[in-house]
Amino acid sequence: MRKTIIGLTFSALLFAPSSLVQAQQPKKVARIVFLSVQSRSILSARFDAFRQGLRELGYEEGKNIVIDYRDSEGSQDRLPGVVAEIVRRQTDVIVTGGSQATRAAKEGTSTIPIVMAQDNDPLGANFVPSLARPGGNVTGLA
């Protein structure tokens, strides 16, 4: 699981816009949102590992990144509203925990990079046209 989180972190940073790469400059603090249908308490170990992976890469919360956790309190119907809030807050990267969150994020924005953390079949779900060349703003692990 640790390799998965580190791979996810690497993917998030690799495919993020140049503004995230420049986040190490004190002028810009990148905003990363971890989006899930499930509450943070259910995914706390995974979220903590994600944060740790970013720390190991030199990202410090409050210094050069801000990491928010947003969920829809177990309701898929609430996801579009949560995504709309994320987009309004000028998020730099959305990391999704599950296909429902990925679908809502993809439907809610075509400009903010989306990194899938837990999607088993991104091709079948039509999140990406190809694993080799995902295109658009969605990438991640499968």
Side-chain angles (χ1 to χ4, degrees):
M1 181 166 150
R2 182 174 171 86
K3 287 182 181 179
T4 300
I5 297 302
I6 291 172
L8 169 65
T9 301
F10 178 75
S11 295
L13 298 174
L14 181 64
F15 294 105
S18 62
S19 62
L20 181 60
V21 174
Q22 296 172 353
Q24 294 179 353
Q25 299 174 2
K27 295 179 184 177
K28 173 72 172 148
V29 176
R31 178 176 300 280
I32 301 171
V33 173
F34 194 102
L35 173 67
S36 178
V37 174
Q38 298 174 325
S39 71
R40 183 174 177 175
S41 63
I42 293 173
L43 296 178
S44 65
R46 185 163 295 174
F47 183 66
D48 291 344
F50 173 71
R51 291 169 59 213
Q52 178 63 34
L54 287 172
R55 279 192 298 273
E56 290 172 5
L57 291 171
Y59 291 91
E60 296 180 41
E61 288 184 73
K63 185 173 181 181
N64 53 12
I65 61 168
V66 172
I67 305 172
D68 291 326
Y69 186 95
R70 295 286 185 259
D71 68 75
S72 63
E73 301 173 357
S75 172
Q76 183 176 350
D77 296 337
R78 293 182 184 174
L79 276 172
V82 174
V83 170
E85 174 192 339
I86 291 168
V87 171
R88 278 193 303 272
R89 297 181 110 215
Q90 300 178 343
T91 300
D92 294 299
V93 176
I94 300 171
V95 178
T96 59
S99 60
Q100 293 172 330
T102 302
R103 182 164 315 287
K106 184 177 180 186
E107 291 172 359
T109 181
S110 61
T111 57
I112 299 172
I114 300 166
V115 179
M116 304 173 292
Q118 301 173 325
D119 288 299
N120 295 331
D121 188 10
L123 290 172
N126 293 319
F127 297 147
V128 296
S130 162
L131 293 179
R133 297 185 184 269
N137 64 324
V138 179
T139 191
L141 304 174

